[in-house]
């Protein structure tokens, strides 16, 4: 079993920045592809960003490309999402995801609110 706990969310003004963290425990963290998803009230959960086991080849949704940066520290079992130039449409609950090819895990989410 893998447990994921997100943190770092909060309330910021448009144009501001936040850094989200996802702390993982349980099975080997480095064996999982990690990613971030988000969900706004009344909307479906959507993909934000993902990163390979080695920390290479990050991939982003077009809506956040150039503004967000995903990274991972396997020694600390932690995934990060640096969010810059935030927009009101970024307001959502952000979820951490771990996938090893046959099992998938989710955190409970952290709220990000961007005021206009």
């Amino acid at each position: 079993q893998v447990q994921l706990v997100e943190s770092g969310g909060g309330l910021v003004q448009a144009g501001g920045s936040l850094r989200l963290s996802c702390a993982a425990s349980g099975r080997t963290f480095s064996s999982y592809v990690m990613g971030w998803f988000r969900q706004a009230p009344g909307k479906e959960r959507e993909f934000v960003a993902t990163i390979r086991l080695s920390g290479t080849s990050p991939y982003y949704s077009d809506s956040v490309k150039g503004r967000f940066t995903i990274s991972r520290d396997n020694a600390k079992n932690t995934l990060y999402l640096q969010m810059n130039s935030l927009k009101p449409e970024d307001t959502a609950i952000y979820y951490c995801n771990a996938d090893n090819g046959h099992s998938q895990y989710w955190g409970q989410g952290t709220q990000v609110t961007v005021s206009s």
Side-chain angles (χ1 to χ4, degrees):
Q1 188 72 19
V2 173
Q3 293 81 44
L4 304 172
V5 180
E6 301 94 337
S7 62
L11 173 63
V12 299
Q13 292 184 328
S17 298
L18 284 173
R19 190 192 192 199
L20 306 184
S21 298
C22 172
S25 62
R27 301 294 171 84
T28 305
F29 177 79
S30 61
S31 298
Y32 290 82
V33 175
M34 303 293 295
W36 290 96
F37 291 72
R38 66 187 182 185
Q39 186 170 23
K43 298 181 65 177
E44 295 183 352
R45 188 171 299 184
E46 66 172 336
F47 168 79
V48 175
T50 190
I51 191 167
R52 299 182 69 178
L53 277 62
S54 63
T56 61
S57 301
Y59 182 79
Y60 302 92
S61 166
D62 288 342
S63 63
V64 307
K65 190 176 299 181
R67 300 187 298 119
F68 291 9
T69 302
I70 187 172
S71 62
R72 65 190 294 165
D73 188 335
N74 291 342
K76 296 181 178 179
N77 290 346
T78 303
L79 177 74
Y80 303 96
L81 184 68
Q82 178 66 47
M83 306 185 295
N84 299 325
S85 302
L86 284 162
K87 305 175 181 179
E89 48 263 49
D90 295 319
T91 296
I93 300 175
Y94 283 70
Y95 296 92
C96 179
N97 173 265
D99 191 311
N100 70 355
H102 65 271
S103 298
Q104 191 174 63
Y105 304 92
W106 296 92
Q108 294 186 353
T110 184
Q111 176 70 234
V112 172
T113 303
V114 184
S115 61
S116 60

